[in-house]
Amino acid sequence: MIYFILDNNEKIELTHRKITFTETNSWFESEFKSEFSFPFEMRKEDFVKVSDFSNYLSAGSKTQFKGKLYRDGDLIDATLKIQQQKGNVISGIIFAGMEAFPNFDKDLKDLPLDKFNVADLKAHALITIRKDYPEVSHQFPMIHTDKYDPASDEFHGFGKFYNNYSEGEFRTNIVQSESNIDLIRNIMQPFPYLMHVVKAGIADAGYELAGDILEIEDFKKALIFRDGSYFKSTTTENIPFVLKINEWSRISYILAGREHVEFNKDLVIDRKGNYLIFGTIFNVMMRNVLSWRSDLQLQLKHVRNGVETMLFSRDRIHGGSGDGAIVQMWNFDIEIPISIEPGDIIRLWKIEVRRDVVPVRAPDYPEACSLEIIPLRYLNADGSPIVSVLDLNEVDLTRVVPDMKFGELISNLRAAKNLDLTISGNTVYMNFIQDQLNRNSAIDLSDFDIEEPLRTFHDERSYELSFSDGNKDSQYPYDSVFVQKDLVATSNYRINKNTTELKLDFLPYPTIVRNGISTSFAFDDEPSKLRLVFYNSSIDGPPVTFNNLNMTIAAIYQQCYANWINFLVNSIGYQWDFIISVEKFKSIVIQSLIYSYSNFHVFTEIEKERISRLSWRVSAKSESLI
């Protein structure tokens, strides 16, 4: 029996529709490919009875339906996509397997990774570095970096380490008292364990992870590196204190035929600290040859708890009368250091002749006041200085994972150790492919041999195993392996048109010695790529990473690919068609090892058409084992 089960538990019967499914073996693919059906037809009224489909041509009409595919006792996640509608006939296609995996298209940052507050990040890190996965989900290793410039103002004196550790403690950023300059010695950042992210993603999809992957020490020791700008910056921002010439509050009086206007401005300062009031107050005066003919009254005050303190003042009241035809600017440059408490007010009050109606015959000064309140140093409540780069007292692993999809991460891990991925019920199995070529488990299909199958010979096949970004930096080259019949080479080889390039799209960072510390060096900054470092819990010494030789291309090839690639370069391709009973075919999956044509085979592709309730017509492609 075959039917599609919608989310509302309604069933679409498919057994008698002669539906055809095609499936490729992921062992031979670098990317996930789903099993899918060829288009099949159903009557519209039958489909409408069980779904909320209205009209394929209607705007916003639903054409994709998540559900389950039931096939002869097996139940798997699947998606039904409506492709066409013509009159009363609907054409659909079914995708099953990886295509329907619930969260392969979810960003890593959206997974339910550990996120919690801590009282003190450094204290938390000191406890964490003594533990390993799975007791902890993250770690704080020292890692070399050149991202932050120690000669810059923002990161002055930076030690060029993440999680800089010395003499039993993580180093603290300080303010040098003699110069009032920040010394940024450290940036504290947690790095998530690879397997914490993997298991969280699988669980988020409603599955449980099982298989060889859980026992791979290289994965259990791996941490994901991604710079997350994991700090709180208290970089100061100047506060503008500006009044335009038309921003007066009222006309105060008329003197010598000229209106005198009053300016008022209060600015509340929120943060405790030491500041500098800096800039210019622009003022205009009228005079004749002998004397002033307008007034100027100016006060700049600091207000705390209602108590005013004068910072700067001028008071020029002219004593005569008569016309004043000469315009003169009388400007005051201000540079006043001041200590501020939260809620303090900077207040400006002045009266001067109005100049926003008829332009004065003087340089155009559109501002009556142009000051800035410049923070020199923010202070804690106890008066101690606040350094410009502070720890985030939280562990938030969603901030420090690559900008990639969960499915991309799983694909990278499959390639790293040549793993397969299969789903059975609510369990996701990831096992070594090489270990599944055991001939004792083969299923005998020799009864379905045909006289003349199509055979394809692969004498010219060759493979290159390498890291995608292995040649990115000539200072830190990564090895590669080239394999063809009777040749395995790591240098002095050339790929050709028959070479299949097996690219591992991640990098284990190199370990270097710098400033007396041997640990990983994050030599690039690729937020969308997977970068790994490897860590053993620290007992006494500094929390440094180790050079994991198992993650070199040579070791990956020898441990995970040698037998597999040897099979590929020596195999013969077979293609043949046969009819088989539903009961017999139930025991066969795309990864099954079979015995046929007096040899052992692995399927590469299966196309199967349900021709009756009891039979499949199968078109199979396989590779023979040597």
Side-chain angles (χ1 to χ4, degrees):
M1 297 289 291
I2 305 175
Y3 47 82
F4 185 84
I5 307 173
L6 295 158
D7 282 343
N8 59 9
N9 289 323
E10 294 287 350
K11 298 177 182 177
I12 301 173
E13 175 61 47
L14 300 172
T15 306
H16 303 293
R17 299 184 189 276
K18 292 190 175 181
I19 189 169
T20 299
F21 292 93
T22 296
E23 186 175 9
T24 57
N25 191 340
S26 62
W27 293 2
F28 298 87
E29 303 286 344
S30 60
E31 299 179 355
F32 289 114
K33 289 189 177 180
S34 298
E35 180 180 6
F36 64 91
S37 73
F38 287 164
F40 61 93
E41 294 181 348
M42 65 191 110
R43 292 171 61 84
K44 177 182 175 182
E45 57 263 30
D46 294 337
F47 187 49
V48 170
K49 289 178 185 177
V50 297
S51 75
D52 56 357
F53 177 79
S54 55
N55 190 317
Y56 182 69
L57 299 178
S58 298
S61 178
K62 185 175 180 180
T63 59
Q64 184 167 306
F65 301 85
K66 295 283 188 180
K68 302 280 188 180
L69 178 65
Y70 176 88
R71 190 170 51 197
D72 303 322
D74 291 328
L75 191 66
I76 58 175
D77 287 314
T79 300
L80 170 62
K81 295 181 180 180
I82 303 302
Q83 291 188 308
Q84 292 180 338
Q85 178 196 349
K86 183 176 182 181
N88 196 39
V89 177
I90 290 175
S91 175
I93 190 169
I94 292 175
F95 289 87
M98 295 303 104
E99 175 82 11
F101 200 83
N103 68 348
F104 267 16
D105 60 349
K106 180 177 282 191
D107 291 335
L108 294 185
K109 64 182 177 61
D110 294 328
L111 295 176
L113 306 178
D114 269 3
K115 183 177 182 179
F116 54 88
N117 294 326
V118 295
D120 183 291
L121 193 63
K122 290 186 176 70
H124 170 75
L126 283 173
I127 297 171
T128 303
I129 61 174
R130 311 303 177 198
K131 301 176 181 180
D132 288 303
Y133 175 83
E135 188 177 1
V136 290
S137 62
H138 57 280
Q139 203 46 264
F140 295 87
M142 297 179 71
I143 296 179
H144 297 295
T145 179
D146 286 337
K147 180 172 181 177
Y148 302 101
D149 184 4
S152 67
D153 292 338
E154 185 177 4
F155 298 99
H156 172 73
F158 182 58
K160 304 187 82 170
F161 287 107
Y162 297 92
N163 305 316
N164 195 353
Y165 180 97
S166 178
E167 299 180 351
E169 62 183 13
F170 289 99
R171 305 200 72 183
T172 301
N173 301 330
I174 61 172
V175 177
Q176 296 173 303
S177 57
E178 63 277 8
S179 63
N180 194 39
I181 295 175
D182 291 354
L183 185 60
I184 308 303
R185 301 188 294 188
N186 193 9
I187 292 176
M188 293 294 298
Q189 176 179 318
F191 296 97
Y193 274 102
L194 171 67
M195 289 305 296
H196 170 69
V197 178
V198 172
K199 294 189 74 172
I202 296 294
D204 180 59
Y207 291 83
E208 182 180 356
L209 184 63
D212 296 333
I213 189 172
L214 297 179
E215 304 305 321
I216 298 176
E217 286 297 315
D218 299 323
F219 284 175
K220 291 194 284 187
K221 297 293 185 181
L223 298 167
I224 296 176
F225 175 91
R226 188 263 169 91
D227 177 85
S229 298
Y230 206 85
F231 52 84
K232 180 181 179 181
S233 178
T234 60
T235 302
T236 58
E237 293 185 4
N238 296 349
I239 306 170
F241 190 82
V242 176
L243 274 169
K244 301 291 186 180
I245 60 173
N246 61 351
E247 292 179 334
W248 44 268
S249 55
R250 70 186 183 94
I251 298 174
S252 184
Y253 53 84
I254 298 175
L255 182 66
R258 297 184 181 275
E259 293 177 339
H260 283 61
V261 292
E262 181 178 323
F263 292 87
N264 291 280
K265 186 176 180 68
D266 280 5
L267 176 67
V268 179
I269 308 298
D270 295 326
R271 297 194 65 173
K272 178 181 178 71
N274 297 323
Y275 293 77
L276 178 69
I277 304 175
F278 183 83
T280 302
I281 302 175
F282 300 102
N283 311 284
V284 65
M285 296 284 290
M286 306 300 297
R287 60 172 298 159
N288 59 22
V289 176
L290 299 176
S291 62
W292 297 107
R293 288 295 180 262
S294 67
D295 290 349
L296 173 65
Q297 300 177 63
L298 170 63
Q299 295 179 357
L300 182 65
K301 298 178 180 179
H302 172 212
V303 184
R304 177 178 297 168
N305 299 325
V307 179
E308 295 182 336
T309 301
M310 189 69 70
L311 300 176
F312 181 85
S313 67
R314 286 293 183 271
D315 194 359
R316 178 62 63 91
I317 306 295
H318 92 289
S321 61
D323 187 27
I326 302 173
V327 178
Q328 182 169 329
M329 299 303 300
W330 196 17
N331 302 333
F332 303 112
D333 293 329
I334 304 298
E335 188 173 351
I336 302 172
I338 186 171
S339 179
I340 295 289
E341 294 290 334
D344 284 4
I345 298 171
I346 304 299
R347 175 171 293 164
L348 176 73
W349 175 86
K350 81 168 180 173
I351 292 177
E352 71 170 1
V353 66
R354 183 177 179 182
R355 53 183 167 125
D356 63 317
V357 178
V358 179
V360 297
R361 294 187 299 275
D364 183 15
Y365 291 91
E367 296 173 348
C369 172
S370 182
L371 299 176
E372 284 187 313
I373 315 301
I374 302 173
L376 301 177
R377 174 68 60 188
Y378 296 130
L379 302 175
N380 292 305
D382 62 1
S384 60
I386 297 176
V387 72
S388 61
V389 175
L390 300 172
D391 293 342
L392 292 177
N393 286 325
E394 66 174 6
V395 172
D396 183 359
L397 301 185
T398 66
R399 291 186 53 163
V400 290
V401 288
D403 297 329
M404 65 168 49
K405 305 295 184 184
F406 181 56
E408 294 178 74
L409 175 65
I410 295 299
S411 292
N412 283 332
L413 300 192
R414 283 186 61 233
K417 293 295 183 179
N418 197 21
L419 302 169
D420 73 354
L421 187 152
T422 57
I423 301 173
S424 178
N426 290 323
T427 303
V428 174
Y429 293 91
M430 296 185 70
N431 292 307
F432 292 113
I433 292 175
Q434 287 195 151
D435 293 350
Q436 298 180 62
L437 302 181
N438 183 353
R439 290 162 172 78
N440 293 330
S441 63
I443 298 171
D444 189 353
L445 288 183
S446 59
D447 289 344
F448 303 94
D449 290 357
I450 64 174
E451 187 173 343
E452 293 184 355
L454 175 64
R455 299 202 303 167
T456 305
F457 302 95
H458 306 308
D459 294 340
E460 302 301 321
R461 266 186 180 174
S462 60
Y463 290 84
E464 184 193 41
L465 182 66
S466 64
F467 292 114
S468 297
D469 295 331
N471 295 319
K472 183 176 182 180
D473 192 318
S474 59
Q475 284 189 281
Y476 305 100
Y478 290 78
D479 56 348
S480 61
V481 172
F482 177 81
V483 184
Q484 63 183 21
K485 277 191 177 181
D486 304 320
L487 175 66
V488 177
T490 57
S491 61
N492 299 320
Y493 66 82
R494 297 182 66 178
I495 63 174
N496 54 61
K497 64 180 181 179
N498 296 311
T499 301
T500 299
E501 297 180 74
L502 304 176
K503 295 291 188 181
L504 308 186
D505 198 19
F506 72 95
L507 276 183
Y509 273 141
T511 299
I512 67 169
V513 179
R514 194 164 72 178
N515 298 325
I517 296 294
S518 175
T519 194
S520 295
F521 175 39
F523 67 85
D524 67 356
D525 185 20
E526 292 284 356
S528 64
K529 292 295 191 77
L530 180 63
R531 300 294 187 249
L532 299 177
V533 300
F534 302 89
Y535 182 79
N536 283 317
S537 58
S538 172
I539 303 301
D540 298 315
V544 295
T545 64
F546 66 92
N547 186 23
N548 189 351
L549 296 178
N550 288 333
M551 296 302 285
T552 63
I553 287 292
I556 291 171
Y557 167 74
Q558 195 61 45
Q559 296 170 12
C560 305
Y561 277 93
N563 292 341
W564 177 249
I565 294 179
N566 184 55
F567 152 56
L568 293 177
V569 298
N570 289 284
S571 67
I572 298 174
Y574 280 75
Q575 182 173 346
W576 78 106
D577 300 337
F578 56 92
I579 295 175
I580 188 171
S581 70
V582 168
E583 189 64 29
K584 175 72 173 177
F585 203 65
K586 279 179 63 174
S587 62
I588 298 173
V589 295
I590 189 68
Q591 288 89 6
S592 293
L593 187 66
I594 65 166
Y595 183 79
S596 196
Y597 301 102
S598 303
N599 205 343
F600 295 92
H601 297 249
V602 177
F603 286 122
T604 60
E605 183 179 318
I606 295 176
E607 182 181 302
K608 51 193 175 183
E609 178 189 0
R610 190 60 166 261
I611 58 176
S612 73
R613 188 172 61 87
L614 300 176
S615 301
W616 289 101
R617 178 185 288 116
V618 177
S619 178
K621 295 180 181 179
S622 68
E623 297 282 343
S624 65
L625 292 176
I626 57 173

